[in-house]
Amino acid sequence: MIDILIIGFGSIGRKHAKILKKNSKVENIYVLTSQAIKDFKKITVSDLRSINPKYIVVANQTSLHLETIKLIEKNYKNKIVLVEKPIFNKFY
């Protein structure tokens, strides 16, 4: 069984969650967001080390992608990460 982390729960994050929920191999979908949610497991930044997702979807604001990627890099190793486009809002 696979655990998935979705960071950001705007329209794109919700689409990913809805599609992934249909996959029988997905056990848990964790969502890192400030929004109220009911169908998935909402987590906070402090919860990141307590979960072990195989896949991570970055679907928050483009201006936050670099910060989010650094957060992922700090907390996880050897994960498959999908970053929604555009990856960055400026050249780094």
Side-chain angles (χ1 to χ4, degrees):
M1 297 304 280
I2 298 170
D3 288 346
I4 295 175
L5 170 60
I6 298 175
I7 301 174
F9 208 60
S11 63
I12 299 299
R14 284 192 299 273
K15 284 181 185 181
H16 280 286
K18 185 178 177 181
I19 291 166
L20 291 165
K21 187 177 181 178
K22 294 177 184 178
N23 187 320
S24 63
K25 294 180 182 178
V26 174
E27 183 170 7
N28 296 300
I29 298 176
Y30 299 98
V31 180
L32 178 59
T33 183
S34 59
Q35 296 184 41
I37 60 172
K38 60 181 179 176
D39 295 332
F40 304 98
K41 297 177 182 190
K42 182 177 176 176
I43 64 166
T44 64
V45 172
S46 60
D47 298 323
L48 287 176
R49 293 194 179 198
S50 67
I51 64 169
N52 186 25
K54 182 170 183 174
Y55 301 107
I56 301 170
V57 177
V58 177
N60 57 0
Q61 294 173 301
T62 303
S63 61
L64 299 175
H65 284 182
L66 181 61
E67 178 183 331
T68 302
I69 291 167
K70 288 179 180 180
L71 183 69
I72 292 168
E73 192 173 52
K74 178 181 175 184
N75 288 283
Y76 300 110
K77 299 292 181 222
N78 301 317
K79 303 299 176 186
I80 298 169
V81 179
L82 169 73
V83 180
E84 275 297 323
K85 66 179 185 177
I87 294 177
F88 301 118
N89 61 332
K90 63 182 180 180
F91 183 77
Y92 291 99

